[in-house]
């Protein structure tokens, strides 16, 4: 994908879901700390937006996504698809539809509230 196509996707995403930021690494150098499976972009977002990584989730559909999330110390969610069957089950949470993310987040929130009360 070229930069122009990427920008079109970002424009569409921002029209549908107004986002605070979209972080992208276009480097082809696997040693680049921002390139997945390295966690650099997650650390960058955490610093920029004051995100508590231990209390965060990272959703992805590739092994690189899940490894980056684990390296950053976040809970990982794998969207299991027909094209990634070889990695099904590797994340903290493994889902088949995006709507399942809401259940995971709600359970996490309820457990956090219960923990505070005890």
């Amino acid at each position: 994908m070229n930069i122009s196509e990427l920008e079109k996707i970002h424009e569409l995403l921002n029209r549908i879901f107004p986002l605070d930021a979209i972080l992208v690494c276009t480097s082809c150098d696997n040693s680049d700390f921002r390139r997945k499976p390295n966690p650099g972009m997650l650390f960058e977002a955490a610093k920029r937006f004051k995100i508590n990584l231990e209390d965060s989730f990272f959703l992805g559909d590739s092994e690189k996504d899940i490894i980056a999330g684990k390296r950053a110390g976040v809970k990982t969610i794998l969207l299991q698809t027909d094209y990634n069957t070889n990695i099904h089950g590797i994340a903290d949470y493994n889902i088949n539809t995006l709507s399942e993310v809401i259940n995971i987040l709600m359970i996490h929130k309820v457990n956090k509230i219960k923990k505070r009360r005890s």
Side-chain angles (χ1 to χ4, degrees):
M1 165 182 323
N2 63 44
I3 297 294
S4 174
E5 291 169 326
L6 182 63
E7 288 172 353
K8 287 178 185 174
I9 291 170
H10 291 174
E11 287 172 20
L12 177 63
L13 281 171
N14 270 313
R15 272 200 308 268
I16 298 170
F17 309 104
L19 303 169
D20 293 325
I22 298 174
L23 303 179
V24 177
C25 178
T26 57
S27 172
C28 294
D29 180 0
N30 287 330
S31 67
D32 186 320
F33 194 58
R34 296 181 80 242
R35 182 175 169 85
K36 293 181 292 185
N38 299 320
M41 284 192 290
L42 292 165
F43 291 143
E44 180 183 329
K47 183 177 180 181
R48 185 170 167 188
F49 297 104
K50 296 177 176 54
I51 297 169
N52 176 351
L53 290 174
E54 290 179 7
D55 200 31
S56 297
F57 293 82
F58 189 66
L59 169 68
D61 65 348
S62 75
E63 186 172 23
K64 285 183 176 186
D65 293 333
I66 302 308
I67 293 170
K70 288 183 181 289
R71 287 179 177 174
V74 301
K75 291 165 220 48
T76 56
I77 303 172
L78 175 69
L79 178 59
Q80 299 179 143
T81 65
D82 291 339
Y83 62 80
N84 68 9
T85 56
N86 62 316
I87 61 167
H88 286 187
I90 69 167
D92 298 309
Y93 300 91
N94 300 276
I95 61 173
N96 297 307
T97 65
L98 286 174
S99 62
E100 293 174 71
V101 172
I102 294 168
N103 294 333
I104 292 168
L105 297 177
M106 291 304 294
I107 290 167
H108 178 72
K109 184 174 182 170
V110 167
N111 288 339
K112 233 176 121 173
I113 291 168
K114 285 179 181 178
K115 198 180 224 181
R116 271 192 240 141
R117 289 181 180 167
S118 56

